[in-house]
Amino acid sequence: MNEADQLDFLETPGAERRRPRFSWGNLALLLGIVAVAGVLGLQLARQNATQPTSGGAPDFQLTRYDGGEMRLSELRGRVVLINFWASWCPPCRDEAPDLQALHEVYKDAGLVVLGINILESSRQKALDFIDEFALTYPNGEDIGQFIANLYRVEGPPESFLIDKQGNIKRFILGALRFDDLSETIADLLAD
């Protein structure tokens, strides 16, 4: 007995074999699966995107806490150290004196230290942090995390060192130290 004969008992006598039909419901289900796969793919691609470590620094405008405004592209010709921070972040507190020291030592040579406050619960906490560490370099709040998204910042502290031509020369994850950056900054200022 062959395989076809063994399965004859499953068929109803006189019933024609029907081909499955493709219905609108099937089409909707297929489109839904494709849409979900697309969304998940985009989220995975964004999650796997890393901070820029070279090339042109994304331009932005920042409103400082003192009310003034700064645009990164207007700082061409100067070396810029962008630091993303938050008052509740322990490594941010550790690096604040080093950032202030870099500002004091190199500001007259052309360094701009620019603090960008992110993920803060209140403006007052940021201002208290600035006062506590006597920070005199420009600082502002990244409302809506627009700048942090441009730089793909995952959490504070993260810093970007930008040369006079507006190119990212170094990405620093975590607290930075004066001694680790001083020589690099001096070299960039000398160029």
Side-chain angles (χ1 to χ4, degrees):
M1 186 188 259
N2 66 29
E3 190 175 321
D5 292 337
Q6 291 175 354
L7 296 177
D8 278 348
F9 73 91
L10 293 176
E11 294 185 19
T12 307
E16 295 179 19
R17 287 192 158 210
R18 288 196 263 173
R19 269 196 297 154
R21 290 184 345 170
F22 194 75
S23 69
W24 289 109
N26 290 343
L27 179 61
L29 179 61
L30 180 62
L31 290 175
I33 290 170
V34 168
V36 168
V39 168
L40 290 175
L42 287 173
Q43 287 178 340
L44 184 60
R46 184 167 187 250
Q47 181 180 2
N48 289 333
T50 59
Q51 293 81 359
T53 57
S54 64
D59 194 20
F60 60 86
Q61 184 165 326
L62 178 70
T63 301
R64 298 185 316 248
Y65 284 116
D66 66 7
E69 295 196 359
M70 296 181 79
R71 180 167 286 285
L72 179 62
S73 57
E74 294 172 353
L75 299 174
R76 291 273 161 81
R78 302 184 77 183
V79 174
V80 180
L81 177 59
I82 301 171
N83 175 254
F84 292 90
W85 63 275
S87 67
W88 47 264
C89 159
C92 298
R93 301 181 78 72
D94 291 343
E95 74 178 357
D98 291 79
L99 284 161
Q100 181 62 30
L102 287 167
H103 168 68
E104 290 172 5
V105 169
Y106 293 108
K107 70 180 176 185
D108 293 335
L111 174 69
V112 176
V113 177
L114 182 57
I116 302 177
N117 179 249
I118 60 172
L119 305 170
E120 198 64 65
S121 61
S122 77
R123 176 183 172 95
Q124 190 57 53
K125 287 184 180 183
L127 293 172
D128 291 345
F129 179 91
I130 291 167
D131 287 343
E132 177 182 347
F133 292 100
L135 303 179
T136 58
Y137 57 86
N139 276 277
E141 181 180 9
D142 184 12
I143 298 171
Q145 308 310 307
F146 175 76
I147 303 167
N149 288 335
L150 276 177
Y151 283 80
R152 298 186 197 113
V153 172
E154 294 181 11
E158 291 184 20
S159 301
F160 297 84
L161 186 59
I162 300 167
D163 69 12
K164 293 177 183 180
Q165 292 74 41
N167 295 309
I168 297 171
K169 294 315 251 181
R170 189 160 171 200
F171 166 67
I172 302 105
L173 177 63
L176 59 77
R177 294 289 169 241
F178 181 94
D179 293 338
D180 294 338
L181 279 182
S182 182
E183 185 176 327
T184 304
I185 289 171
D187 290 344
L188 290 174
L189 290 168
D191 284 343

